[in-house]
């Protein structure tokens, strides 16, 4: 088992190096640094986010990650993490040590330490900034994303006064903290966000209070109409509603005697018909598979017989 683990780690390391170096060398040629074993060197001071891990990784891997980051427009630390050259927690631990702070795992932080309500806590996880109380002071927990690690590591970027006390954590740790302490709020947010932001696209039922208000308004309008409208108008509306009801009933009766026209294929033949894919999700439903396949094969569509398995063989 130990030998297999070592071999597997070596294979993953080789694949990571091939992917990084190959992606780096596909970009434009940069000046060669003799101390980097022939790998194109990055501009000095441009990738300050990798300075904290240069003593942990080979120079050629760091240089290749920087070249890859320049090509796709992300931070070099994201390339290292996505290529499995280093874990996100290991990188953030090294970055926190270089910035004079520490990595926060958030597993021992209680809900009372965070001054935000559940709704704002969800927004904090989205922004990657979480405030925590420590006595009378406020400490900010930062989950770096996009280019934030580069801005934090850049000595030329001045931090605002409110960010003097901070720690680092990973996005997964921050999401786990929010899920652990605001799970019900997350469920409500997932359920109601579409109804609140785009009500025309939502088919969610209305809340009980809204239904009650709608019923009360409808009753008030009906009472006001019957109390203030003249008798001739009320009789006219009643006659119109009766006529609509009779017309609907007559249409249903006529539809019983109407014959549907025979189905005709497209003018271009079966080849001009669009292809369709029927996906049937089954889970522990072996007793109905035969009937389901038989029903699919019974569909009148070209090619359905040739692409569906035999019902008696399932």
């Amino acid at each position: 088992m130990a030998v297999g683990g070592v071999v597997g780690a070596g294979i993953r390391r080789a694949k990571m190096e091939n992917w990084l170096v190959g992606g780096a060398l596909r970009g434009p040629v940069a000046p060669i640094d003799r101390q980097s074993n022939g790998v194109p060197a990055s501009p000095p001071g441009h990738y300050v986010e990798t300075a904290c891990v240069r003593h942990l990784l080979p120079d050629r891997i760091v240089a290749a990650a920087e070249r890859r980051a320049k090509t796709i427009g992300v931070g070099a630390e994201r390339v290292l993490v996505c290529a499995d050259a280093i874990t996100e927690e290991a990188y953030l631990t090294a970055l926190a040590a270089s910035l004079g702070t520490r990595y926060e795992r958030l597993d021992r932080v209680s809900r009372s330490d965070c001054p935000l309500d559940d709704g704002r806590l969800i927004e904090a996880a989205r922004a990657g900034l979480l405030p925590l109380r420590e006595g009378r002071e406020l400490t900010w927990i930062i989950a770096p994303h996009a280019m934030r690690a580069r801005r934090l590591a850049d000595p030329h970027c001045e931090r605002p006064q409110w960010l003097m006390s901070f720690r680092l954590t990973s996005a997964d740790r921050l999401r786990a903290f929010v899920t652990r302490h605001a799970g019900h709020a997350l469920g409500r947010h997932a359920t109601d966000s579409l109804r609140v932001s785009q009500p025309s696209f939502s088919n969610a039922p209305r809340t009980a209070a809204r239904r009650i208000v709608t019923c009360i308004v409808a009753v008030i309008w009906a009472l006001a109409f019957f109390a203030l409208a003249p008798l001739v108008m009320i009789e006219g509306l009643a006659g119109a509603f009766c006529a609509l009801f009779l017309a609907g009933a007559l249409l249903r009766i006529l539809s019983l005697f109407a014959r549907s026209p025979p189905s005709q294929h497209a003018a271009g033949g079966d080849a001009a018909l669009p292809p369709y894919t029927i996906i049937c999700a089954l889970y522990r439903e072996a007793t109905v598979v035969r009937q389901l396949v038989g029903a699919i094969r019974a569909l009148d569509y070209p090619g359905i017989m040739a692409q569906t398995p035999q019902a008696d063989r399932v």
Side-chain angles (χ1 to χ4, degrees):
M1 295 295 293
V3 174
V6 172
V7 173
I11 293 175
R12 291 193 299 271
R13 180 69 173 269
K15 290 182 178 179
M16 174 267 296
E17 292 186 1
N18 292 334
W19 181 82
L20 279 176
V21 177
L25 295 180
R26 282 193 293 268
V29 178
I32 300 298
D33 185 3
R34 295 181 178 178
Q35 296 181 356
S36 61
N37 298 326
V39 177
S42 60
H46 184 65
Y47 297 96
V48 293
E49 67 270 22
T50 58
C52 60
V53 294
R54 291 186 180 274
H55 64 288
L56 301 175
L57 299 172
D59 292 341
R60 63 190 305 271
I61 298 300
V62 176
E66 292 174 351
R67 295 288 298 164
R68 184 69 170 171
K70 184 179 180 180
T71 303
I72 60 180
V74 299
E77 85 284 353
R78 297 311 309 166
V79 178
L80 291 172
V81 171
C82 293
D84 289 334
I86 191 172
T87 64
E88 185 175 14
E89 292 197 1
Y91 170 78
L92 292 175
T93 302
L95 178 62
S98 67
L99 296 176
T101 182
R102 63 184 177 87
Y103 179 79
E104 178 61 62
R105 299 176 61 88
L106 294 176
D107 50 357
R108 297 184 180 180
V109 178
S110 63
R111 180 65 178 88
S112 59
D113 294 332
C114 181
L116 302 179
D117 56 19
D118 289 347
R120 292 184 179 273
L121 184 58
I122 297 174
E123 297 297 328
R126 183 181 304 174
L129 285 172
L130 177 68
L132 293 179
R133 289 197 192 97
E134 289 189 350
R136 296 183 179 181
E137 297 183 356
L138 197 65
T139 299
W140 289 90
I141 308 298
I142 304 176
H145 64 278
M147 297 293 185
R148 186 172 294 172
R150 180 176 301 176
R151 297 189 184 98
L152 288 173
D154 191 352
H156 301 289
C157 292
E158 296 183 2
R159 303 189 190 97
Q161 186 65 30
W162 57 270
L163 199 57
M164 290 296 101
S165 178
F166 71 95
R167 297 173 191 163
L168 300 182
T169 192
S170 64
D172 292 338
R173 291 280 181 181
L174 184 55
R175 283 192 294 265
F177 178 82
V178 175
T179 304
R180 185 165 62 250
H181 296 294
H184 295 290
L186 280 172
R188 291 195 303 269
H189 180 75
T191 304
D192 300 334
S193 59
L194 181 62
R195 180 177 59 83
V196 174
S197 60
Q198 298 288 341
S200 59
F201 291 96
S202 175
N203 196 28
R206 297 179 178 180
T207 59
R210 189 172 181 179
R211 289 197 299 268
I212 294 174
V213 172
T214 304
C215 293
I216 293 175
V217 171
V219 170
I220 292 176
W221 274 101
L223 293 177
F225 174 77
F226 285 110
L228 301 177
L231 183 60
V232 177
M233 183 180 295
I234 296 176
E235 291 180 351
L237 287 176
F241 287 143
C242 290
L244 290 175
F245 176 77
L246 292 176
L250 181 61
L251 180 62
R252 290 194 173 191
I253 294 174
L254 293 177
S255 64
L256 296 176
F257 300 96
R259 298 182 60 184
S260 58
S263 59
Q264 297 180 356
H265 288 174
D270 294 346
L273 295 176
Y276 288 92
T277 301
I278 302 176
I279 301 177
C280 302
L282 297 176
Y283 179 70
R284 295 181 179 178
E285 295 167 337
T287 57
V288 299
V289 171
R290 183 175 287 104
Q291 293 87 338
L292 177 62
V293 174
I296 295 176
R297 292 178 60 83
L299 296 176
D300 184 14
Y301 203 82
I304 195 69
M305 297 292 290
Q307 300 180 18
T308 308
Q310 294 289 339
D312 53 358
R313 296 181 182 178
V314 178

